Amino acid sequence: MTSNTGQRPLEGFTIVEMGNFIAGPYAGMLLADLGAEVIKVEEVKSGDPFRAWGKGLYSPAFCAFNRGKKSLTLDVRQERGRDVLLRLADEADALIENFRPGVMARLGADYETVSARNPRIVYCSLSGFGQSGPYRDRPSYDTVGQAMGGLLALLTDSDDPRPRGPALADSLTGLFGAFGVLSALMARERTGAGQKVETSQLESVAAFVGETLTFYEAQGMVSNAWTRPRLAQVYGFDTTDGKQLAIHLSSPPKFWEGLTDAVGRPDLRDDPRFVDRNARAEHYNELYEELAPLFKQRTRDEWLALFEQHDVPGAPAYRVNELVEDPQFAHQGIRIEHSHPEGDSVTAKNPLNLLGTPLTYDVPPPGLGEHNEEVLSRLGLTADEIATLRQEGVIGERGLAAPGS
């Protein structure tokens, strides 16, 4: 039986986050969920640019990636701001940054400088293309990472190349970044030494779609948006009530047999075009044309009941407004609500369920500069010194409104 210790896995660890938008903040938030104290260092007047993607400086875009953190506004371009940053790093277990390569060096807070002062620090750099190489200095956002890493070509049709969907490259980079920090902290437990951790959108996306590389090298196959659906026997259908559902048969014959029974067409099993998975992959479009009209004959709920009866791997193709009403979604406790003086927010919980060291979500996304006094006081600064930093513009006032708001 698993015992609940009441302590989250990273309690007692401190992480400095120099992150904007998604990759760095997502890595920081995942570690904050695990109990780390994450101090988010933000630009003095407007903070993380995601703050302003709405009214004021507390937008849903910001809240989605920044729960559980403390906010310190700091002008690190000023000498006194850099000094505060370095003092923070002196006491930290890890630092996460997702600026372009070279920016932290220009700020005087690169790995060499920080680790010379704190050899135990884990220093994580997230970038578009890596810290070296011919593309090192190119600008990159999520879509650039998806395109370069080979993911975008798997999500779009060649006759309609417009990007679509969520920020997968940024999120994957943040996820792998958090994984890297955890790995380096574990290594430090054995060696006593910190280290540099690097990953990029290019590496993260290429790893995520790594099977396409394996298939290409083994068979010369160049995957497109339909390659995996065809091989894995994945389908999507419209139902008579205007809703949609998805089916993933994979390779076990029982699922194909269950589907043909559910739709009342067991004869399809004897059709030479569909006799086994390879045949169905070869005649994927023909099978779709056989099945699509059948799904227009019942509602989605009726089909889902038949799927359950015949053990067919299928699900409603939800949009978010439907997802939040689903009983399994509620049972898993995925919806996390927070109240804050600057607004209420809802985020999706960390997908990890650690039964012995459960995660909690008590701390909402921070207001801009909300923890200036707390963090600086812990560094030993007096109230007068903090006031001087504020007067000099090294730190800002808490809760500044967005320009023009």
Side-chain angles (χ1 to χ4, degrees):
M1 179 178 293
T2 302
S3 62
N4 184 341
T5 67
Q7 185 176 39
R8 293 185 293 173
L10 293 184
E11 283 193 25
F13 288 81
T14 298
I15 297 170
V16 176
E17 178 199 302
M18 301 279 290
N20 290 327
F21 292 114
I22 296 178
Y26 189 44
M29 185 177 77
L30 293 174
L31 298 171
D33 290 342
L34 294 172
E37 178 190 47
V38 177
I39 300 172
K40 182 180 181 72
V41 178
E42 302 190 67
E43 194 274 338
V44 170
K45 292 186 178 180
S46 55
D48 185 325
F50 250 178
R51 283 188 177 274
W53 283 40
K55 294 182 179 180
L57 292 175
Y58 204 72
S59 74
F62 172 80
C63 290
F65 299 101
N66 288 283
R67 66 166 173 249
K69 303 177 186 178
K70 297 178 178 178
S71 172
L72 169 68
T73 54
L74 193 63
D75 185 354
V76 294
R77 292 163 296 189
Q78 295 192 46
E79 182 177 352
R80 297 191 69 180
R82 287 194 297 273
D83 177 66
V84 170
L85 175 61
L86 291 173
R87 289 171 65 179
L88 269 178
D90 289 345
E91 305 297 324
D93 295 283
L95 184 149
I96 299 171
E97 62 92 8
N98 68 331
F99 295 121
R100 282 204 217 183
V103 170
M104 292 297 284
R106 291 195 293 274
L107 295 175
D110 56 334
Y111 173 67
E112 289 72 22
T113 300
V114 171
S115 63
R117 298 166 57 115
N118 179 5
R120 287 177 54 82
I121 198 164
V122 170
Y123 191 109
C124 179
S125 291
L126 310 176
S127 63
F129 303 104
Q131 300 298 310
S132 60
Y135 299 164
R136 171 185 185 269
D137 296 322
R138 290 186 179 183
S140 183
Y141 285 103
D142 175 77
T143 304
V144 177
Q146 287 194 40
M148 280 290 301
L151 177 59
L152 198 61
L154 303 178
L155 300 177
T156 57
D157 294 327
S158 58
D159 58 352
D160 183 8
R162 290 175 297 175
R164 62 201 71 180
L168 292 169
D170 274 339
S171 295
L172 287 167
T173 306
L175 179 62
F176 282 121
F179 177 56
V181 170
L182 287 173
S183 301
L185 288 174
M186 177 61 72
R188 192 184 72 178
E189 292 300 303
R190 297 195 303 269
T191 68
Q195 63 179 289
K196 181 80 178 291
V197 175
E198 298 176 0
T199 193
S200 64
Q201 291 175 328
L202 175 59
E203 293 164 289
S204 297
V205 172
F208 182 65
V209 298
E211 67 176 342
T212 64
L213 174 64
T214 303
F215 272 100
Y216 173 70
E217 296 290 352
Q219 302 176 4
M221 184 174 73
V222 178
S223 299
N224 60 29
W226 294 105
T227 301
R228 178 164 176 77
R230 186 180 72 252
L231 295 177
Q233 291 296 281
V234 174
Y235 297 92
F237 296 107
D238 293 309
T239 56
T240 190
D241 52 353
K243 297 180 180 180
Q244 296 177 327
L245 53 79
I247 300 170
H248 189 140
L249 299 179
S250 190
S251 56
K254 67 175 183 177
F255 295 136
W256 162 242
E257 294 165 5
L259 175 64
T260 56
D261 287 338
V263 300
R265 290 291 307 276
D267 59 292
L268 291 174
R269 300 202 288 264
D270 299 321
D271 190 314
R273 298 173 297 171
F274 314 134
V275 70
D276 57 26
R277 186 184 69 85
N278 289 334
R280 293 192 293 276
E282 182 178 353
H283 298 281
Y284 178 83
N285 290 331
E286 294 165 71
L287 180 54
Y288 176 81
E289 294 299 328
E290 292 278 358
L291 295 174
L294 302 177
F295 280 94
K296 289 290 188 70
Q297 298 175 7
R298 297 179 186 270
T299 67
R300 184 170 71 183
D301 285 345
E302 289 173 331
W303 283 119
L304 293 173
L306 283 169
F307 288 173
E308 189 168 358
Q309 178 183 338
H310 293 279
D311 197 30
V312 177
Y318 279 154
R319 293 192 177 187
V320 66
N321 58 309
E322 298 174 294
L323 173 62
V324 296
E325 300 297 329
D326 187 273
Q328 189 67 28
F329 178 91
H331 175 77
Q332 295 295 130
I334 295 172
R335 190 178 192 271
I336 304 298
E337 299 182 49
H338 282 121
S339 294
H340 188 277
E342 297 195 32
D344 296 335
S345 62
V346 173
T347 56
K349 80 173 186 70
N350 193 302
L352 296 177
N353 298 293
L354 305 182
L355 303 188
T357 53
L359 281 58
T360 58
Y361 306 94
D362 302 327
V363 180
L368 182 62
E370 180 175 346
H371 303 92
N372 284 355
E373 281 74 13
E374 175 189 339
V375 173
L376 295 175
S377 296
R378 277 173 37 194
L379 291 179
L381 277 70
T382 66
D384 287 342
E385 289 172 324
I386 294 172
T388 299
L389 291 179
R390 185 175 293 111
Q391 292 169 0
E392 294 176 348
V394 176
I395 62 172
E397 297 287 349
R398 178 177 179 272
L400 286 173
S405 65

